[in-house]
Amino acid sequence: MGRVDLVGGGPGPAYLMTLRGYRLLQEADVIIADRLGPFDELRAEIDPDVTVIDVGKRPGHHPVPQEEINALLVAHAKAGSRVVRLKGGDPFVFGRGGEEVIACQVAGVPVSVTPGVSSVISVPQAAGIPVTHRGVASALHVVNGQGEITHSTLASMADPAVTTVVLMGVSALPRIVSTALDFGVDAATPVAIVENGLTDRQRTIRGTLGDVVRQAEDARVTNPAVIVFGQVARADLLLPAALISTGTA
C-alpha cells in the first residue's frame, strides 16, 4: 500500500510553496497536478521517471471529473505508489480536498494534507491590500463566486467592518454587484480586482460597488482574479496621512 498527500501549491510562484510540500514532490512516484500552482516552474526538478497526470481545471472546463481524480488517487496508492495531489492554493479552500480525503479514507488509503498559502490572502497582499486592518476591517468573509449569493454574504458586504473576498468570481461579478445593490449595500463601497496575482502580469483594477462592473468590462478582466469588497480595498489605505496631505503620495 502506498499513500496520498494532498499538497497546497500556494498561489503560483514556487517560492511560496511550503518546504514540506516541496519535499513531498521530490519523493513522489505519481504527481496528479492542477492547472494552478507551481508545478510548471518545478517540473525540471522532478525525476523524469515520476508519473505526472495533468487534471488541470479552469472555469467551466473540467476535463477530468472529480470522481475520476478520486479514483486515480486510490488506484495509484493501492498499487504501492507515493501519490502527491498538487493543488493550487490550499487543498481545503474551494479545492475539493475534503472530497479527496473522504475517497481515500473510504478506500483504506493513508492520506494527509499539507497546507498551502491561499490566494484569499496572498493575492490581495501582493497588491498592497491587507484583508484585515486594525480600525478598518476586523473580519473576513470568503466566497466562491460560482455559488449562490447567500444572505450571509450580502450581510458581510453591507458591514463596513468586514472584508469580502470572492474567488472565481469574474463571470459572476455583474450578478454579485446587482444583488448587493438591491440588498442595500452602499454603492460607494470600495472594490479591487487583482488579476493574475503574483505573476509578471499582475494588475489591479479599483472602483466602487457602483462602477466596478464597468471598470472590469473596460479593462477586459479575465481569470484568474481575486475580488475584494470593503474598506481595505481603498487605494490610500496604507499611505501615511502626512504623504497624502502634502500631495507626495
Side-chain angles (χ1 to χ4, degrees), residues 3 5 21 24 27-28 33 45 53-54 58 69 90-91 97-98 102 109 120 127 142 153-154 204 220 226 229 238:
R3 61 172 292 108
D5 284 282
L24 287 169
E27 298 167 359
E45 302 179 37
I53 303 172
D54 182 2
R58 59 181 185 271
I69 295 173
D90 183 275
I102 292 170
V109 170
V120 170
V142 183
T153 293
L154 295 170
T204 304
R220 298 185 178 179
V226 174
F229 296 86
L238 299 186

Side-chain angles (χ1 to χ4, degrees), residues 83-247:
V83 182
V84 167
R85 172 70 172 108
L86 181 62
K87 309 171 81 69
D90 183 275
F92 282 0
V93 180
F94 302 139
R96 305 187 74 168
E99 296 173 44
E100 294 169 352
V101 167
I102 292 170
C104 290
Q105 291 181 335
V106 168
V109 170
V111 59
S112 68
V113 182
T114 297
V117 176
S118 173
S119 61
V120 170
I121 297 170
S122 61
V123 169
Q125 183 181 84
I129 301 170
V131 293
T132 65
H133 189 69
R134 187 161 65 96
V136 178
S138 58
L140 174 64
H141 185 81
V142 183
V143 182
N144 178 347
Q146 302 302 308
E148 178 186 356
I149 305 170
T150 65
H151 183 275
S152 62
T153 293
L154 295 170
S156 296
M157 294 176 72
D159 187 339
V162 177
T163 300
T164 301
V165 175
V166 180
L167 303 184
M168 301 173 284
V170 171
S171 63
L173 182 60
R175 174 172 59 91
I176 294 170
V177 167
S178 174
T179 305
L181 290 171
D182 288 346
F183 184 78
V185 180
D186 187 352
T189 301
V191 183
I193 304 172
V194 186
E195 183 185 64
N196 294 305
L198 293 157
T199 74
D200 57 5
R201 294 175 290 115
Q202 176 177 314
R203 63 172 178 160
T204 304
I205 294 88
R206 295 183 189 266
T208 65
L209 189 67
D211 66 14
V212 70
V213 172
R214 178 179 55 79
Q215 299 274 19
E217 290 173 349
D218 290 348
R220 298 185 178 179
V221 171
T222 61
N223 283 304
V226 174
I227 308 172
V228 182
F229 296 86
Q231 295 303 313
V232 296
R234 296 192 336 248
D236 63 350
L237 178 69
L238 299 186
L239 293 177
L243 291 181
I244 297 173
S245 63
T246 60

Side-chain angles (χ1 to χ4, degrees), residues 22-39:
Y22 178 80
R23 287 174 173 168
L24 287 169
L25 278 178
Q26 302 302 310
E27 298 167 359
D29 301 307
V30 177
I31 298 173
I32 299 176
D34 275 351
R35 175 182 66 95
L36 298 176
F39 184 70

Side-chain angles (χ1 to χ4, degrees), residues 6 9 61 66 70 79 109 127 130 141 174 176 235:
L6 308 186
H61 182 66
Q66 186 62 49
N70 295 348
V109 170
H141 185 81
I176 294 170

